[in-house]
Amino acid sequence: PLKTREDLLINAQVDTRTLVMYPYLLPNLFGFILCFSSAIAVYCEIAETLPNPKPFGGCIVPRILWGGIRESSIASASNKTYQSIETHSEATTQQPPTVASIWSRRETRRNLIAYWMFSAIQIIIDEAFPLYCVATKNGLGGLSENQIGRILSLSGFIFALLQFRAYTWMTNKFGLFGSLRLGCLVGIVPVSLTPAASLFEAESGVNCYSIVYLSVLMGITKVFQSAFFSSITVMANRTVPVDMRSTMNGIGGSGAGMSKAVAPVLVGLWMSRWLSADPAGATFLNLPVGPWIAYAGIGALGLPMLHYVKSCELNSAHGINLLVET
């Protein structure tokens, strides 16, 4: 904020010494407020699905502050809402869930592996984009933070506009496995077209056509990536009894976190190799071949992901075709 909106902060007579020491303080505070308010909204408005929900344990403050609000807000929630969710899994188990017991379930294990693989690929795509934008040799000529922000903002608007309708249509039309396949194909493979943004560049550099092209491409791929995560989450939760879901989702989140920690290292090495390369001056569509190779490798990750999803579908004992209730 201090770099991009310094004039605004000075006009507002804000003491910028703290922001000089901690330049990302304001974005992090905003993120904290957003997450905290979202947590309150979920706690107050989302009904419990466990047959015997446990209290907050030793945390007495949330119970005092929001217990009454929650009870009044979900008192009218009907258990029928969750009957369809329990259709394909046992109601409860006799033994407490463990990592070993969850990992021993074949369908659950396959869904978790698919979730981890796709999480790593998504981070690779997200981390590759700013590296391509700031690269001066074979990238977009070193975009500023404001220009990158405009692209991300516009792509986020496109994603928000299309995501609900697209996911509802996909699951109604193709089912859960179909939405997973579309997530692999349309969510990953078209990323290989990212270097085509340089075709719209003018002599002065990146123009509005390049920004719109990248925003539309990123927005559409994000819609299908989100569809993949939504479907794989539904499928994974259907493969375990109700009282094992929290443990299963914890394992899924931990594995995804580890894959997301490794992915930036790999994509950093990959992008630096090809964005700085000049293989004998080779070009494709009058553009350096390095970015094309870099993004072709990333887009190609959708093909083994698609193959894995198809193998899971063929070997699945469920093959559920979910119809989303709007």
Side-chain angles (χ1 to χ4, degrees), residues 39-295:
I40 295 176
V42 169
Y43 179 72
C44 294
E45 298 298 331
I46 303 300
E48 180 61 71
T49 59
L50 291 176
N52 297 307
K54 297 179 180 179
F56 261 90
C59 188
I60 189 67
V61 176
R63 293 203 302 271
I64 296 175
L65 292 180
W66 303 307
I69 300 176
R70 179 174 172 81
E71 290 176 4
S72 62
S73 63
I74 64 173
S76 60
S78 173
N79 291 331
K80 295 180 180 179
T81 307
Y82 305 100
Q83 288 179 354
S84 60
I85 300 178
E86 315 302 334
T87 302
H88 300 283
S89 63
E90 305 95 326
T92 58
T93 56
Q94 299 298 323
Q95 300 296 328
T98 62
V99 175
S101 63
I102 291 175
W103 192 252
S104 64
R105 305 173 75 91
R106 184 182 62 177
E107 298 300 323
T108 306
R109 183 171 64 248
R110 287 173 175 168
N111 283 302
L112 289 176
I113 293 174
Y115 177 57
W116 297 340
M117 291 170 60
F118 203 90
S119 296
I121 295 174
Q122 186 194 41
I123 291 298
I124 287 174
I125 294 172
D126 292 343
E127 294 291 333
F129 179 70
L131 297 177
Y132 172 65
C133 289
V134 301
T136 55
K137 184 177 182 180
N138 289 335
L140 285 178
L143 294 184
S144 65
E145 294 91 338
N146 283 337
Q147 290 173 312
I148 298 176
R150 291 192 191 102
I151 295 172
L152 297 177
S153 297
L154 183 55
S155 65
F157 174 77
I158 295 172
F159 167 79
L161 194 65
L162 300 178
Q163 193 269 339
F164 174 74
R165 294 287 184 182
Y167 183 68
T168 304
W169 172 79
M170 274 187 284
T171 49
N172 282 334
K173 184 75 173 178
F174 303 105
L176 283 176
F177 274 114
S179 64
L180 294 181
R181 293 194 300 270
L182 286 172
C184 297
L185 283 175
V186 190
I188 300 176
V189 176
V191 172
S192 58
L193 300 175
T194 300
S198 297
L199 295 174
F200 303 101
E201 286 185 359
E203 294 182 358
S204 58
V206 175
N207 54 25
C208 62
Y209 297 107
S210 300
I211 292 177
V212 170
Y213 171 79
L214 290 172
S215 300
V216 172
L217 180 63
M218 291 182 62
I220 292 175
T221 54
K222 285 296 180 185
V223 167
F224 286 88
Q225 291 171 20
S226 175
F228 183 97
F229 283 119
S230 299
S231 294
I232 201 67
T233 301
V234 172
M235 293 177 64
N237 278 281
R238 284 184 165 186
T239 62
V240 295
V242 178
D243 57 348
M244 295 179 69
R245 286 179 180 167
S246 58
T247 304
M248 186 274 298
N249 283 289
I251 296 172
S254 300
M258 287 187 287
S259 65
K260 291 178 179 180
V262 176
V265 179
L266 300 178
V267 72
L269 296 173
W270 175 257
M271 295 299 289
S272 62
R273 166 68 179 86
W274 290 110
L275 292 180
S276 60
D278 187 15
T283 61
F284 178 72
L285 297 179
N286 295 323
L287 297 174
V289 74
W292 289 108
I293 296 177
Y295 268 101

